[in-house]
Amino acid sequence: MSVQARSEPVTGTLTARLGDTLRRAIAAGQFPPGSKLPSEARLSETHGVSRTVVREAIAALRADRLVEARQGAGVFVLETSPTPPSSLLSLQDIDPARVSSTIELLELRTAVEVEAAGLAALRRSPAQEEVIIERHYAVRACLNAGVSSAEADFALHLAIAEATNNPRFREFLAMIGQNVIPRAALRKDDTETDQRAYIALLDDEHNDIVAAISNGDEEGARDAMRRHLRGSQARYRALLREQRQPVR
């Protein structure tokens, strides 16, 4: 199945902005521990964003253990943990500027996200499937516009992790943070044709993952995610070899 392009707003930035706004409000005591956040409809109206953006922002807060959803009651603010979740996973020495660090992250992602894609194909709800497709279109819009797709790409992978309906997958990616999405594997001397081919390849790889999840194809989703992440590893290893200076 081919997921066809359509005109969609890039919602990744809106999600991040709303998430930051709610975090600041919680930190400032506007929503103290134990209090209930406004409804999805109220947040959507107040901040002028879609309900999809609200859901994604709330999901990010849940991953950071700032709020919890209670069935039939709403979303409530939790007591602030003295130890931030990110400290549970020590990745402090990750240097996004080093190609070797990028390869290390890609290998770690492969170990987790291949299974996440398979579970998402089996367990995703219609609403979660819709979010995944919207995130895919958002990445495509960034690629077509020639702007950084890192934030939108991260949102796509978070949506897939969310669709496993196992919160640990999303929490894992959230702990790593946006460094999970490396910079584009492009060389300075790449031609415009090379860049277009690279962008088209990324879009095709994402499309295969999204289509398999949408079709409920568990093994197809795993295979597509594995090809995508291993392909990224291969591209970065080639870049690493080219950047190495010959020994004299």
Side-chain angles (χ1 to χ4, degrees), residues 160-213:
I160 292 171
E162 183 78 19
T164 66
N165 287 296
N166 176 341
R168 306 312 171 200
F169 282 94
R170 197 186 201 289
E171 289 169 6
F172 176 81
L173 291 187
M175 282 190 294
I176 295 176
Q178 196 163 308
N179 281 339
V180 76
I181 305 299
R183 68 191 190 283
L186 296 173
R187 298 179 296 269
K188 291 181 180 179
D189 59 348
D190 278 342
T191 66
E192 185 177 343
T193 299
D194 291 332
Q195 294 177 13
R196 285 200 301 267
Y198 176 74
I199 288 170
L201 177 61
L202 288 183
D203 186 60
D204 286 344
E205 289 175 351
H206 282 156
N207 193 80
D208 289 344
I209 297 167
V210 173
I213 292 173

Side-chain angles (χ1 to χ4, degrees), residues 4-197:
Q4 299 297 320
R6 68 181 183 186
S7 176
E8 289 285 345
V10 179
T11 58
T13 299
L14 294 175
T15 299
R17 288 177 180 171
L18 177 58
D20 288 343
T21 297
L22 293 175
R23 284 184 179 88
R24 287 194 296 269
I26 291 171
Q30 182 177 341
F31 301 115
S35 66
K36 180 180 176 180
L37 290 184
S39 68
E40 183 179 294
R42 176 63 61 85
L43 287 172
S44 177
E45 180 181 356
T46 300
H47 297 279
V49 296
S50 69
R51 291 196 177 194
T52 297
V53 168
V54 174
R55 285 194 294 268
E56 281 291 288
I58 295 298
L61 297 182
R62 288 172 54 197
D64 289 343
R65 300 184 184 277
L66 292 176
V67 301
E68 69 175 0
R70 299 175 188 171
Q71 187 68 32
V75 178
F76 291 81
V77 177
L78 296 174
E79 291 284 352
T80 303
S81 170
T83 303
S86 60
S87 68
L88 300 176
L89 188 62
S90 179
L91 293 173
Q92 300 304 312
D93 61 343
I94 291 295
D95 181 359
R98 294 175 57 236
V99 175
S100 58
S101 283
T102 297
I103 294 171
E104 290 167 356
L105 277 179
L106 285 168
E107 289 180 344
L108 181 61
R109 286 179 59 195
T110 301
V112 173
E113 291 197 72
V114 168
E115 182 64 15
L119 290 176
L122 288 177
R123 299 176 178 176
R124 85 274 183 236
S125 69
Q128 289 169 332
E129 181 180 352
E130 181 180 27
V131 170
I132 289 171
I133 292 173
E134 288 178 348
R135 296 291 87 78
H136 174 42
Y137 292 144
V139 177
R140 178 178 290 171
C142 289
L143 293 173
N144 290 339
V147 299
S148 173
S149 62
E151 188 174 350
D153 201 328
F154 188 43
L156 169 61
H157 285 272
L158 284 175
I160 292 171
E162 183 78 19
T164 66
N165 287 296
N166 176 341
R168 306 312 171 200
F169 282 94
R170 197 186 201 289
E171 289 169 6
F172 176 81
L173 291 187
M175 282 190 294
I176 295 176
Q178 196 163 308
N179 281 339
V180 76
I181 305 299
R183 68 191 190 283
L186 296 173
R187 298 179 296 269
K188 291 181 180 179
D189 59 348
D190 278 342
T191 66
E192 185 177 343
T193 299
D194 291 332
Q195 294 177 13
R196 285 200 301 267

